[in-house]
Amino acid sequence: MASTELADLQRRLKALEDENAQLKALGMADQTGRRRAETALAESEERYRTLFNSIDEGFCIIEFLDGPHGPLSDYIHVEANPAYTQHAGIPDVVGQKVREMVPGEADGWVELYGSVLRTGRPIRFERELIATGRYLELAAFRVEPASRKQVAVLFQDITARKRTEQELQRLNETLEARVVAAIAERNVLADIVEGTDAFVQVVDSNFRWLAINGASAREFHRIYGILPKVGDNMLKLLEGQPEHRDAVRAVWSRALAGEAFVEIAEFGQPGRSRRFYEMRFNCLRDGSGQLLGAYQFSYDVTDRLKEQERLREAEEALRQSQKMEAVGQLTGGIAHDFNNLLTGIIGSLELLQTRLGQGRVKDIDRYVTAAQGAAKRAAALTHRLLAFSRRQTLDPRPTDLNRLVMGMEELIRRTVGPEITLEVVAAGGLWPTLIDASQLENALLNLCINARDAMPGGGRLTIETANRWLDAHGAGERDLEPGQYVSLCVTDTGAGMTADVIERAFDPFFTTKPIGQGTGLGLSMVYGFVRQSGGQVRIYSEVGQGTTMCLYLPRHYAKEADRPSASATRTAPRPQASHTILIVDDEPSIRMLLTDALEEIGFNVLEAHDGPTGLNILQSDATIDLLVTDVGLPGGMNGRQLADAARTTRPALKVLFITGYAENAIIGNGQLAPDMQVLTKPFVVETLASRVLDMIRDGTGRS
């Protein structure tokens, strides 16, 4: 509020007051003059009121009066314009006394305005009206004559300006401290950057150093033999080492193009110590985002990489040790079981030989039965071992898992017993899978038996099929390739498994069952079979809640195969034959047994002990209707190679492979050529005879 504004307001008020006085004096002269004076007086008062109400600033007239604190110790508002409330924040002040309005700060206001009333000197000041929290700029002057005991006050709200001034004052007061703190912070950061083991460099877009710490400069000197400093151009410093210059330009150019990246690389002269560095590059920008250059934080990670390599070697040694431990456990278990079985076989044969030598043939059947039983159990054990090692001979065919599960439902229900509720959830539109159905049936039955044993007090057993489309993440979690799979899950509500039991569940001979109640090969056999079939097994379990065993099998895009009836094959009559069969096997005892068995039913039999000998016979003019060959043969030619070579001259030759395990070279990833079949060792003579007769007859039989 300017002094000229206050003076102008005083002048205009004085003129209005003088005019009113004159008009009042004229009004006393005569009746006519009095009416004119009253009209003029009303007009003057209207001008006064208009002026009073139109002022933007707050304006009031206060009149002093005697109060409880003494003469002229209080004042009352006799006039106030509308802007008073806007600026002071107190409404309806006309008629209010200051000691009633703001009792806590009335003394101060009375003292200020009382001085104006007593001396007649106008004042201008700034003061906070504490009651409303507003800062006011005020001007006050006495209304003449002094006998009226009135003071006029003109004021405006300057709270916003005052607070700005106070904030500016506070900033000014703390500016020095903030400058000192900023410098100290910068010095601390500079000390940290300079003292760190990290190599820090900052360059502009022309490869000129804007900053480089001591560690980086010393390392640069150690590698390249040149000590750089701020302002140097790194490419010019390396002009004499073009191969290093080009490498430095290539990596820094990426960062100067705006790329942020991390790279590990080896640097150094061939004749000097070469070290590995982890380099973190980023771009340097100004406040507006404009690219100014790039910076790099590098660390010597040579020792870390060596330690990681040492740790990797130690882990590999540990894995090898664990493999050897597993092999030891496996061979120990095999030796134990086979010793028991061989004892039964050898003992029975010895007693059989003794009784025959004595001419006592009455009870020899029981020794034959005992030897055959032990031999069959040995065959079953080797079958489980081959399944675990994923080298069993499989007969994969397109299979509908829903049909397979439904066909086994009654068998599983009888196996688990009435205390366990069986539920089968079959997915609609289930995809087929290429699998050996009989082996999958064995695997499913094995899982259901394990689930039953986990629920001795009864519970719920759920078998569920589903289509699964595994993306890269889901397939990675299951150690599979991304794609479409069919899942077969068996869930129980039993005791569940701990994490360490889950980790060892597929180990051979590992079992949580009491001694004598489990071989420990069940799950390892399931795992090996599923993995050999291109699938995966996963265990999901929670102690006290139950376990879910899920088999994931690849989707097959052909229709389900029609399987011939096994019973029909077994019951087919055995016609006499007069065909010629070539047997190729390096084991004389097997050749003898095969020859005797086939000659027994009327076949002519030729023998060869290795592949080349067998091929010579096949390339002769001899009539040969069927080749029966072992897979693994000496002489540099295996059974599959022999069969392929023979078919170059005998394209219609039928071939029966006999093998103890499946080799990719023989079965061709599960697919055999027409008129080729596989028979797995060990086998009984009856099975061999049936298979040979089927192949000789029409080649369609398959057990």
Side-chain angles (χ1 to χ4, degrees), residues 26-45:
L26 289 173
M28 297 179 181
D30 53 49
Q31 188 67 24
T32 303
R34 187 164 50 250
R35 284 195 297 270
R36 287 198 305 271
E38 288 174 353
T39 301
L41 180 60
E43 292 175 354
S44 176
E45 287 178 350

Side-chain angles (χ1 to χ4, degrees), residues 189 205 215 277 279 323 332 456 529 568 580:
L189 291 174
S205 57
Y277 300 88
M279 302 173 293
K323 287 180 182 178
F529 158 65
T580 300

Side-chain angles (χ1 to χ4, degrees), residues 609-612 633-638:
H609 66 280
D610 60 20
L633 294 173
M637 178 179 288
N638 64 34

Side-chain angles (χ1 to χ4, degrees), residues 221-225 241 243-244 266-275:
H221 180 265
R222 189 191 67 78
I223 296 174
Y224 304 114
Q241 304 175 39
E243 68 283 0
H244 295 308
E266 186 182 17
F267 288 93
Q269 293 281 7
R272 298 173 182 263
S273 174
R274 292 178 64 83
R275 309 282 291 178

Side-chain angles (χ1 to χ4, degrees), residues 105-159:
E105 49 187 311
D107 287 340
W109 294 107
V110 169
E111 176 63 27
L112 284 169
Y113 295 142
S115 175
V116 174
L117 179 62
R118 289 190 300 272
T119 65
R121 289 194 298 271
I123 60 172
R124 299 181 71 254
F125 63 98
E126 295 176 0
R127 187 179 180 90
E128 182 183 9
L129 181 58
I130 299 174
T132 60
R134 300 193 184 191
Y135 285 92
L136 304 176
E137 181 185 35
L138 306 106
F141 59 90
R142 187 172 65 190
V143 178
E144 300 298 339
S147 59
R148 298 177 63 174
K149 302 178 184 180
Q150 291 181 345
V151 173
V153 181
L154 186 66
F155 64 93
Q156 62 180 353
D157 183 359
I158 59 168
T159 303

